[in-house]
Amino acid sequence: MENPVIILGAQSLGLNALDAFTSNDVVVYCLLDDDAKLQNTELNDVPVMGNTEDQQLLKLLGKKCEVFVATEDTASRRSLTNMLHDEYQVVPVNAIHAKASVAAHAWLGHGNLISAGAVVASNSKLGNGCLIGANAVVDVKAEVADYAQIGAGAIINAGAIIEEQAFIGAGAIIVAGVKIGAKARVGAGSVVVADVPANQTVFGNPAAKI
């Protein structure tokens, strides 16, 4: 990546994105955050310069700077991504840690965070704005839809489908071919052996509705 990056969000997710970019020797120009307490501070020696709607900085996007959206709230990330597209004609770049493994034949949308040690296998698919935690695995032909979150160490086995905005907790295992519905939540350490409907929360081994 030739251009420096501006990260929108300077909390935990922003720190993870910063780590991913710096692991690849990508220059992070600054971070922006709406929390006034974070503004005019530094995160790992990178300045937090203003809020996420700072037009003076956002006008750098495109030819001079890339952008990554790292706000904690999914609705906020979606809203900011849409704003960037509509007002600045840019889309967020992917933040892929140097110690992650992404297969040449995996398909990735934009604005995804793939943390250290994560594996995105051949012929798998990530949508836009997905968060893939450290050491998580997205196996062959698995599909992860827009704004889904896969926790650290979770395993999405071959052919499994994770629909939009679903949350898979740390260390969970989704058995091959299982579908997790939109906005469903899978508790940490769970083993999911059957499809989970949209908006449902499951937990345990085998996972059951709670």
Side-chain angles (χ1 to χ4, degrees):
M1 191 179 304
E2 295 181 2
N3 290 334
V5 178
I6 294 175
I7 298 175
L8 306 188
Q11 301 182 45
S12 296
L13 189 53
L15 183 59
N16 285 336
L18 176 60
D19 184 48
F21 287 121
T22 55
S23 76
N24 289 288
D25 296 323
V26 173
V27 174
V28 175
Y29 182 76
C30 70
L31 300 99
L32 303 177
D33 199 279
D34 293 335
D35 185 345
K37 294 179 181 177
L38 294 174
Q39 294 166 15
N40 301 312
T41 65
E42 290 187 346
L43 192 63
N44 292 0
D45 300 322
V46 178
V48 183
M49 296 179 68
N51 64 44
T52 57
E53 297 180 355
D54 189 317
Q55 294 184 357
Q56 288 297 109
L57 290 167
L58 293 180
K59 71 181 183 181
L60 298 174
L61 301 179
K63 293 182 179 180
K64 294 183 178 180
C65 284
E66 306 292 348
V67 66
F68 184 83
V69 180
T71 52
E72 306 292 318
D73 178 66
T74 300
S76 173
R77 284 192 291 120
R78 183 192 290 269
S79 175
L80 283 169
T81 299
N82 290 338
M83 179 275 289
L84 292 168
H85 179 269
D86 294 343
E87 297 186 22
Y88 297 94
Q89 291 74 55
V90 296
V91 295
V93 294
N94 290 314
I96 302 173
H97 198 282
K99 292 184 178 179
S101 175
V102 178
H105 292 284
W107 188 95
L108 273 62
H110 59 75
N112 297 297
L113 173 64
I114 303 176
S115 302
V119 175
V120 180
S122 182
N123 295 96
S124 61
K125 182 177 180 180
L126 299 185
N128 303 315
C130 299
L131 306 178
I132 310 299
N135 300 311
V137 175
V138 179
D139 209 347
V140 295
K141 295 186 177 180
E143 297 184 12
V144 180
D146 295 352
Y147 299 99
Q149 183 170 347
I150 312 299
I155 300 175
I156 312 303
N157 278 291
I161 295 175
I162 313 299
E163 296 193 329
E164 283 195 28
Q165 299 184 56
F167 175 87
I168 311 300
I173 297 173
I174 311 302
V175 170
V178 164
K179 179 186 287 187
I180 307 298
K183 297 184 179 180
R185 298 180 67 84
V186 175
S190 298
V191 178
V192 183
V193 299
D195 291 355
V196 177
N199 300 301
Q200 192 170 102
T201 298
V202 298
F203 180 76
N205 180 8
K209 181 181 177 181
I210 61 172

